[in-house]
mmCIF file of all heavy atoms in Angstrom:
data_model
loop_
_atom_site.group_PDB
_atom_site.id
_atom_site.type_symbol
_atom_site.label_atom_id
_atom_site.label_comp_id
_atom_site.label_asym_id
_atom_site.label_seq_id
_atom_site.Cartn_x
_atom_site.Cartn_y
_atom_site.Cartn_z
ATOM 1 N N ILE A 62 -12.527 -7.688 -26.490
ATOM 2 C CA ILE A 62 -11.782 -8.059 -27.696
ATOM 3 C C ILE A 62 -11.915 -6.969 -28.758
ATOM 4 O O ILE A 62 -10.949 -6.641 -29.447
ATOM 5 C CB ILE A 62 -12.216 -9.433 -28.236
ATOM 6 C CG1 ILE A 62 -11.699 -10.538 -27.305
ATOM 7 C CG2 ILE A 62 -11.702 -9.650 -29.663
ATOM 8 C CD1 ILE A 62 -12.031 -11.948 -27.735
ATOM 9 N N HIS A 63 -13.086 -6.383 -28.873
ATOM 10 C CA HIS A 63 -13.283 -5.345 -29.886
ATOM 11 C C HIS A 63 -12.373 -4.141 -29.659
ATOM 12 O O HIS A 63 -11.794 -3.609 -30.610
ATOM 13 C CB HIS A 63 -14.743 -4.912 -29.939
ATOM 14 C CG HIS A 63 -15.658 -5.999 -30.408
ATOM 15 N ND1 HIS A 63 -17.019 -5.844 -30.488
ATOM 16 C CD2 HIS A 63 -15.405 -7.270 -30.819
ATOM 17 C CE1 HIS A 63 -17.565 -6.959 -30.938
ATOM 18 N NE2 HIS A 63 -16.598 -7.841 -31.131
ATOM 19 N N ILE A 65 -9.518 -4.136 -28.049
ATOM 20 C CA ILE A 65 -8.132 -4.559 -28.289
ATOM 21 C C ILE A 65 -7.865 -4.583 -29.796
ATOM 22 O O ILE A 65 -6.831 -4.096 -30.265
ATOM 23 C CB ILE A 65 -7.837 -5.907 -27.616
ATOM 24 C CG1 ILE A 65 -7.858 -5.748 -26.091
ATOM 25 C CG2 ILE A 65 -6.493 -6.477 -28.087
ATOM 26 C CD1 ILE A 65 -7.799 -7.052 -25.314
ATOM 27 N N CYS A 66 -8.814 -5.119 -30.564
ATOM 28 C CA CYS A 66 -8.669 -5.109 -32.031
ATOM 29 C C CYS A 66 -8.524 -3.695 -32.557
ATOM 30 O O CYS A 66 -7.630 -3.413 -33.372
ATOM 31 C CB CYS A 66 -9.876 -5.777 -32.686
ATOM 32 S SG CYS A 66 -9.957 -7.567 -32.534
ATOM 33 N N LEU A 69 -5.091 -2.221 -31.671
ATOM 34 C CA LEU A 69 -4.020 -2.812 -32.477
ATOM 35 C C LEU A 69 -4.066 -2.286 -33.915
ATOM 36 O O LEU A 69 -3.032 -1.916 -34.482
ATOM 37 C CB LEU A 69 -4.128 -4.335 -32.471
ATOM 38 C CG LEU A 69 -3.822 -5.020 -31.141
ATOM 39 C CD1 LEU A 69 -4.269 -6.476 -31.168
ATOM 40 C CD2 LEU A 69 -2.343 -4.905 -30.804
ATOM 41 N N LEU A 70 -5.260 -2.264 -34.493
ATOM 42 C CA LEU A 70 -5.398 -1.760 -35.858
ATOM 43 C C LEU A 70 -5.006 -0.295 -35.939
ATOM 44 O O LEU A 70 -4.324 0.125 -36.876
ATOM 45 C CB LEU A 70 -6.830 -1.967 -36.350
ATOM 46 C CG LEU A 70 -7.233 -3.417 -36.612
ATOM 47 C CD1 LEU A 70 -8.745 -3.536 -36.759
ATOM 48 C CD2 LEU A 70 -6.513 -3.985 -37.827
ATOM 49 N N ILE A 78 -11.951 -2.003 -36.625
ATOM 50 C CA ILE A 78 -12.529 -3.347 -36.714
ATOM 51 C C ILE A 78 -13.694 -3.391 -37.702
ATOM 52 O O ILE A 78 -13.861 -4.360 -38.436
ATOM 53 C CB ILE A 78 -12.926 -3.855 -35.309
ATOM 54 C CG1 ILE A 78 -13.243 -5.349 -35.317
ATOM 55 C CG2 ILE A 78 -14.029 -3.040 -34.699
ATOM 56 C CD1 ILE A 78 -13.466 -5.932 -33.931
ATOM 57 N N HIS A 81 -12.525 -3.828 -41.362
ATOM 58 C CA HIS A 81 -12.061 -5.167 -41.740
ATOM 59 C C HIS A 81 -13.129 -6.243 -41.590
ATOM 60 O O HIS A 81 -13.105 -7.236 -42.320
ATOM 61 C CB HIS A 81 -10.828 -5.541 -40.912
ATOM 62 C CG HIS A 81 -9.650 -4.684 -41.229
ATOM 63 N ND1 HIS A 81 -8.836 -4.918 -42.312
ATOM 64 C CD2 HIS A 81 -9.166 -3.575 -40.627
ATOM 65 C CE1 HIS A 81 -7.881 -3.987 -42.359
ATOM 66 N NE2 HIS A 81 -8.072 -3.164 -41.342
ATOM 67 N N PHE A 82 -14.042 -6.050 -40.634
ATOM 68 C CA PHE A 82 -15.067 -7.052 -40.332
ATOM 69 C C PHE A 82 -16.422 -6.343 -40.208
ATOM 70 O O PHE A 82 -16.982 -6.247 -39.120
ATOM 71 C CB PHE A 82 -14.727 -7.791 -39.034
ATOM 72 C CG PHE A 82 -13.313 -8.291 -38.968
ATOM 73 C CD1 PHE A 82 -12.363 -7.625 -38.200
ATOM 74 C CD2 PHE A 82 -12.921 -9.412 -39.681
ATOM 75 C CE1 PHE A 82 -11.056 -8.081 -38.129
ATOM 76 C CE2 PHE A 82 -11.606 -9.871 -39.621
ATOM 77 C CZ PHE A 82 -10.673 -9.206 -38.854
ATOM 78 N N TYR A 89 -20.023 -12.444 -40.592
ATOM 79 C CA TYR A 89 -19.604 -12.082 -39.242
ATOM 80 C C TYR A 89 -20.749 -12.101 -38.234
ATOM 81 O O TYR A 89 -20.535 -11.835 -37.057
ATOM 82 C CB TYR A 89 -18.917 -10.708 -39.244
ATOM 83 C CG TYR A 89 -17.725 -10.688 -40.163
ATOM 84 C CD1 TYR A 89 -17.669 -9.807 -41.244
ATOM 85 C CD2 TYR A 89 -16.665 -11.579 -39.980
ATOM 86 C CE1 TYR A 89 -16.584 -9.815 -42.105
ATOM 87 C CE2 TYR A 89 -15.586 -11.593 -40.848
ATOM 88 C CZ TYR A 89 -15.552 -10.707 -41.903
ATOM 89 O OH TYR A 89 -14.477 -10.720 -42.762
ATOM 90 N N ILE A 92 -20.279 -14.201 -34.986
ATOM 91 C CA ILE A 92 -18.924 -14.759 -34.977
ATOM 92 C C ILE A 92 -18.265 -14.618 -33.607
ATOM 93 O O ILE A 92 -18.490 -13.659 -32.881
ATOM 94 C CB ILE A 92 -18.043 -14.113 -36.074
ATOM 95 C CG1 ILE A 92 -16.762 -14.928 -36.302
ATOM 96 C CG2 ILE A 92 -17.742 -12.658 -35.748
ATOM 97 C CD1 ILE A 92 -15.982 -14.512 -37.537
ATOM 98 N N ASP A 93 -17.467 -15.596 -33.279
ATOM 99 C CA ASP A 93 -16.646 -15.566 -32.068
ATOM 100 C C ASP A 93 -15.581 -14.490 -32.274
ATOM 101 O O ASP A 93 -14.785 -14.563 -33.213
ATOM 102 C CB ASP A 93 -15.998 -16.942 -31.890
ATOM 103 C CG ASP A 93 -15.143 -17.081 -30.654
ATOM 104 O OD1 ASP A 93 -14.652 -16.060 -30.118
ATOM 105 O OD2 ASP A 93 -14.930 -18.229 -30.230
ATOM 106 N N SER A 94 -15.557 -13.498 -31.408
ATOM 107 C CA SER A 94 -14.619 -12.380 -31.563
ATOM 108 C C SER A 94 -13.160 -12.809 -31.483
ATOM 109 O O SER A 94 -12.282 -12.084 -31.955
ATOM 110 C CB SER A 94 -14.919 -11.293 -30.530
ATOM 111 O OG SER A 94 -16.147 -10.668 -30.838
ATOM 112 N N LYS A 95 -12.886 -13.975 -30.920
ATOM 113 C CA LYS A 95 -11.502 -14.474 -30.914
ATOM 114 C C LYS A 95 -11.016 -14.673 -32.350
ATOM 115 O O LYS A 95 -9.838 -14.485 -32.637
ATOM 116 C CB LYS A 95 -11.393 -15.762 -30.103
ATOM 117 C CG LYS A 95 -11.613 -15.559 -28.609
ATOM 118 C CD LYS A 95 -11.355 -16.806 -27.794
ATOM 119 C CE LYS A 95 -12.317 -17.927 -27.999
ATOM 120 N NZ LYS A 95 -13.679 -17.685 -27.504
ATOM 121 N N LYS A 96 -11.923 -15.023 -33.258
ATOM 122 C CA LYS A 96 -11.552 -15.163 -34.673
ATOM 123 C C LYS A 96 -11.201 -13.808 -35.276
ATOM 124 O O LYS A 96 -10.298 -13.703 -36.101
ATOM 125 C CB LYS A 96 -12.677 -15.824 -35.458
ATOM 126 C CG LYS A 96 -12.903 -17.274 -35.073
ATOM 127 C CD LYS A 96 -14.032 -17.888 -35.859
ATOM 128 C CE LYS A 96 -14.239 -19.331 -35.432
ATOM 129 N NZ LYS A 96 -15.382 -19.943 -36.132
ATOM 130 N N LEU A 97 -11.909 -12.772 -34.859
ATOM 131 C CA LEU A 97 -11.592 -11.428 -35.336
ATOM 132 C C LEU A 97 -10.216 -11.000 -34.825
ATOM 133 O O LEU A 97 -9.417 -10.445 -35.581
ATOM 134 C CB LEU A 97 -12.653 -10.430 -34.884
ATOM 135 C CG LEU A 97 -14.100 -10.745 -35.265
ATOM 136 C CD1 LEU A 97 -15.032 -9.655 -34.744
ATOM 137 C CD2 LEU A 97 -14.259 -10.930 -36.758
ATOM 138 N N LEU A 98 -9.946 -11.278 -33.556
ATOM 139 C CA LEU A 98 -8.640 -10.935 -32.980
ATOM 140 C C LEU A 98 -7.518 -11.693 -33.681
ATOM 141 O O LEU A 98 -6.464 -11.115 -33.974
ATOM 142 C CB LEU A 98 -8.636 -11.223 -31.475
ATOM 143 C CG LEU A 98 -7.360 -10.894 -30.716
ATOM 144 C CD1 LEU A 98 -6.953 -9.434 -30.872
ATOM 145 C CD2 LEU A 98 -7.537 -11.251 -29.239
ATOM 146 N N ALA A 99 -7.738 -12.967 -33.978
ATOM 147 C CA ALA A 99 -6.724 -13.737 -34.711
ATOM 148 C C ALA A 99 -6.476 -13.118 -36.088
ATOM 149 O O ALA A 99 -5.332 -13.033 -36.543
ATOM 150 C CB ALA A 99 -7.164 -15.193 -34.843
ATOM 151 N N GLY A 100 -7.540 -12.644 -36.735
ATOM 152 C CA GLY A 100 -7.388 -11.983 -38.031
ATOM 153 C C GLY A 100 -6.603 -10.691 -37.921
ATOM 154 O O GLY A 100 -5.769 -10.386 -38.778
ATOM 155 N N VAL A 101 -6.846 -9.932 -36.870
ATOM 156 C CA VAL A 101 -6.095 -8.695 -36.646
ATOM 157 C C VAL A 101 -4.621 -9.008 -36.423
ATOM 158 O O VAL A 101 -3.736 -8.329 -36.960
ATOM 159 C CB VAL A 101 -6.687 -7.906 -35.455
ATOM 160 C CG1 VAL A 101 -5.754 -6.792 -35.004
ATOM 161 C CG2 VAL A 101 -8.053 -7.353 -35.827
ATOM 162 N N MET A 102 -4.340 -10.044 -35.648
ATOM 163 C CA MET A 102 -2.942 -10.422 -35.399
ATOM 164 C C MET A 102 -2.242 -10.820 -36.701
ATOM 165 O O MET A 102 -1.077 -10.487 -36.902
ATOM 166 C CB MET A 102 -2.866 -11.551 -34.370
ATOM 167 C CG MET A 102 -3.307 -11.146 -32.967
ATOM 168 S SD MET A 102 -2.411 -9.724 -32.286
ATOM 169 C CE MET A 102 -0.742 -10.361 -32.266
ATOM 170 N N ARG A 103 -2.955 -11.509 -37.599
ATOM 171 C CA ARG A 103 -2.370 -11.849 -38.903
ATOM 172 C C ARG A 103 -2.028 -10.578 -39.686
ATOM 173 O O ARG A 103 -0.947 -10.480 -40.274
ATOM 174 C CB ARG A 103 -3.337 -12.718 -39.726
ATOM 175 C CG ARG A 103 -3.238 -14.201 -39.430
ATOM 176 C CD ARG A 103 -4.003 -15.045 -40.436
ATOM 177 N NE ARG A 103 -5.432 -14.740 -40.501
ATOM 178 C CZ ARG A 103 -6.350 -15.173 -39.639
ATOM 179 N NH1 ARG A 103 -5.996 -15.953 -38.641
ATOM 180 N NH2 ARG A 103 -7.621 -14.845 -39.784
ATOM 181 N N LEU A 104 -2.944 -9.615 -39.687
ATOM 182 C CA LEU A 104 -2.691 -8.352 -40.396
ATOM 183 C C LEU A 104 -1.458 -7.640 -39.841
ATOM 184 O O LEU A 104 -0.628 -7.131 -40.601
ATOM 185 C CB LEU A 104 -3.907 -7.421 -40.279
ATOM 186 C CG LEU A 104 -5.154 -7.813 -41.056
ATOM 187 C CD1 LEU A 104 -6.339 -6.937 -40.652
ATOM 188 C CD2 LEU A 104 -4.891 -7.703 -42.552
ATOM 189 N N LEU A 105 -1.329 -7.616 -38.517
ATOM 190 C CA LEU A 105 -0.171 -6.959 -37.895
ATOM 191 C C LEU A 105 1.119 -7.663 -38.274
ATOM 192 O O LEU A 105 2.102 -7.018 -38.645
ATOM 193 C CB LEU A 105 -0.309 -6.951 -36.375
ATOM 194 C CG LEU A 105 -1.332 -6.012 -35.763
ATOM 195 C CD1 LEU A 105 -1.330 -6.149 -34.250
ATOM 196 C CD2 LEU A 105 -1.083 -4.587 -36.162
ATOM 197 N N ARG A 106 1.120 -8.975 -38.146
ATOM 198 C CA ARG A 106 2.349 -9.734 -38.412
ATOM 199 C C ARG A 106 2.734 -9.687 -39.879
ATOM 200 O O ARG A 106 3.927 -9.701 -40.204
ATOM 201 C CB ARG A 106 2.193 -11.154 -37.873
ATOM 202 C CG ARG A 106 2.179 -11.135 -36.344
ATOM 203 C CD ARG A 106 2.289 -12.496 -35.700
ATOM 204 N NE ARG A 106 2.469 -12.320 -34.267
ATOM 205 C CZ ARG A 106 1.615 -12.751 -33.339
ATOM 206 N NH1 ARG A 106 0.526 -13.422 -33.691
ATOM 207 N NH2 ARG A 106 1.857 -12.544 -32.053
ATOM 208 N N GLU A 107 1.758 -9.609 -40.772
ATOM 209 C CA GLU A 107 2.056 -9.458 -42.191
ATOM 210 C C GLU A 107 2.828 -8.162 -42.460
ATOM 211 O O GLU A 107 3.579 -8.066 -43.424
ATOM 212 C CB GLU A 107 0.764 -9.448 -43.026
ATOM 213 C CG GLU A 107 0.121 -10.803 -43.179
ATOM 214 C CD GLU A 107 -1.267 -10.730 -43.803
ATOM 215 O OE1 GLU A 107 -1.740 -9.621 -44.164
ATOM 216 O OE2 GLU A 107 -1.897 -11.806 -43.925
ATOM 217 N N ARG A 108 2.649 -7.187 -41.595
ATOM 218 C CA ARG A 108 3.330 -5.896 -41.728
ATOM 219 C C ARG A 108 4.550 -5.787 -40.825
ATOM 220 O O ARG A 108 5.126 -4.717 -40.677
ATOM 221 C CB ARG A 108 2.337 -4.764 -41.463
ATOM 222 C CG ARG A 108 1.379 -4.613 -42.636
ATOM 223 C CD ARG A 108 0.094 -3.943 -42.245
ATOM 224 N NE ARG A 108 -0.805 -3.814 -43.392
ATOM 225 C CZ ARG A 108 -1.589 -4.793 -43.853
ATOM 226 N NH1 ARG A 108 -1.591 -5.968 -43.278
ATOM 227 N NH2 ARG A 108 -2.373 -4.587 -44.889
ATOM 228 N N TYR A 110 4.791 -6.340 -37.456
ATOM 229 C CA TYR A 110 4.589 -5.873 -36.090
ATOM 230 C C TYR A 110 4.379 -7.027 -35.117
ATOM 231 O O TYR A 110 3.799 -8.052 -35.470
ATOM 232 C CB TYR A 110 3.367 -4.949 -35.992
ATOM 233 C CG TYR A 110 3.562 -3.608 -36.633
ATOM 234 C CD1 TYR A 110 2.982 -3.307 -37.858
ATOM 235 C CD2 TYR A 110 4.320 -2.626 -36.006
ATOM 236 C CE1 TYR A 110 3.151 -2.068 -38.446
ATOM 237 C CE2 TYR A 110 4.503 -1.386 -36.594
ATOM 238 C CZ TYR A 110 3.916 -1.120 -37.806
ATOM 239 O OH TYR A 110 4.088 0.106 -38.379
ATOM 240 N N VAL A 112 3.194 -7.481 -30.780
ATOM 241 C CA VAL A 112 2.584 -6.776 -29.660
ATOM 242 C C VAL A 112 3.592 -6.638 -28.531
ATOM 243 O O VAL A 112 4.209 -7.624 -28.116
ATOM 244 C CB VAL A 112 1.329 -7.528 -29.161
ATOM 245 C CG1 VAL A 112 0.764 -6.884 -27.893
ATOM 246 C CG2 VAL A 112 0.272 -7.569 -30.263
ATOM 247 N N VAL A 136 -6.716 -16.839 -22.249
ATOM 248 C CA VAL A 136 -7.367 -17.009 -23.550
ATOM 249 C C VAL A 136 -6.834 -15.993 -24.556
ATOM 250 O O VAL A 136 -6.466 -16.346 -25.687
ATOM 251 C CB VAL A 136 -8.901 -16.896 -23.400
ATOM 252 C CG1 VAL A 136 -9.583 -16.782 -24.753
ATOM 253 C CG2 VAL A 136 -9.440 -18.094 -22.631
ATOM 254 N N LEU A 137 -6.777 -14.729 -24.174
ATOM 255 C CA LEU A 137 -6.306 -13.693 -25.095
ATOM 256 C C LEU A 137 -4.841 -13.901 -25.472
ATOM 257 O O LEU A 137 -4.471 -13.721 -26.641
ATOM 258 C CB LEU A 137 -6.519 -12.309 -24.495
ATOM 259 C CG LEU A 137 -7.985 -11.898 -24.296
ATOM 260 C CD1 LEU A 137 -8.076 -10.580 -23.554
ATOM 261 C CD2 LEU A 137 -8.728 -11.844 -25.616
ATOM 262 N N ALA A 138 -4.011 -14.266 -24.508
ATOM 263 C CA ALA A 138 -2.593 -14.508 -24.792
ATOM 264 C C ALA A 138 -2.436 -15.637 -25.806
ATOM 265 O O ALA A 138 -1.610 -15.544 -26.724
ATOM 266 C CB ALA A 138 -1.841 -14.827 -23.504
ATOM 267 N N ALA A 139 -3.236 -16.684 -25.666
ATOM 268 C CA ALA A 139 -3.155 -17.808 -26.602
ATOM 269 C C ALA A 139 -3.569 -17.381 -28.008
ATOM 270 O O ALA A 139 -2.915 -17.737 -28.988
ATOM 271 C CB ALA A 139 -4.035 -18.961 -26.113
ATOM 272 N N VAL A 140 -4.640 -16.618 -28.122
ATOM 273 C CA VAL A 140 -5.105 -16.157 -29.440
ATOM 274 C C VAL A 140 -4.079 -15.226 -30.073
ATOM 275 O O VAL A 140 -3.803 -15.301 -31.270
ATOM 276 C CB VAL A 140 -6.471 -15.447 -29.327
ATOM 277 C CG1 VAL A 140 -6.865 -14.799 -30.659
ATOM 278 C CG2 VAL A 140 -7.550 -16.422 -28.873
ATOM 279 N N MET A 141 -3.495 -14.351 -29.262
ATOM 280 C CA MET A 141 -2.583 -13.331 -29.783
ATOM 281 C C MET A 141 -1.147 -13.826 -29.932
ATOM 282 O O MET A 141 -0.338 -13.170 -30.583
ATOM 283 C CB MET A 141 -2.607 -12.110 -28.865
ATOM 284 C CG MET A 141 -3.966 -11.437 -28.809
ATOM 285 S SD MET A 141 -4.051 -10.147 -27.558
ATOM 286 C CE MET A 141 -2.986 -8.916 -28.321
ATOM 287 N N GLY A 142 -0.824 -14.958 -29.314
ATOM 288 C CA GLY A 142 0.544 -15.466 -29.386
ATOM 289 C C GLY A 142 1.517 -14.613 -28.597
ATOM 290 O O GLY A 142 2.647 -14.382 -29.039
#
Side-chain angles (χ1 to χ4, degrees):
I62 288 181
H63 294 178
I65 292 171
C66 287
L69 291 167
L70 290 166
I78 192 173
H81 294 278
F82 311 103
Y89 302 120
I92 194 169
D93 182 337
S94 291
K95 292 186 292 292
K96 293 179 181 177
L97 304 180
L98 181 57
V101 167
M102 293 304 299
R103 274 191 301 280
L104 289 170
L105 287 180
R106 290 191 171 118
E107 285 170 2
R108 287 157 180 81
Y110 289 105
V112 174
V136 168
L137 294 174
V140 172
M141 297 172 70

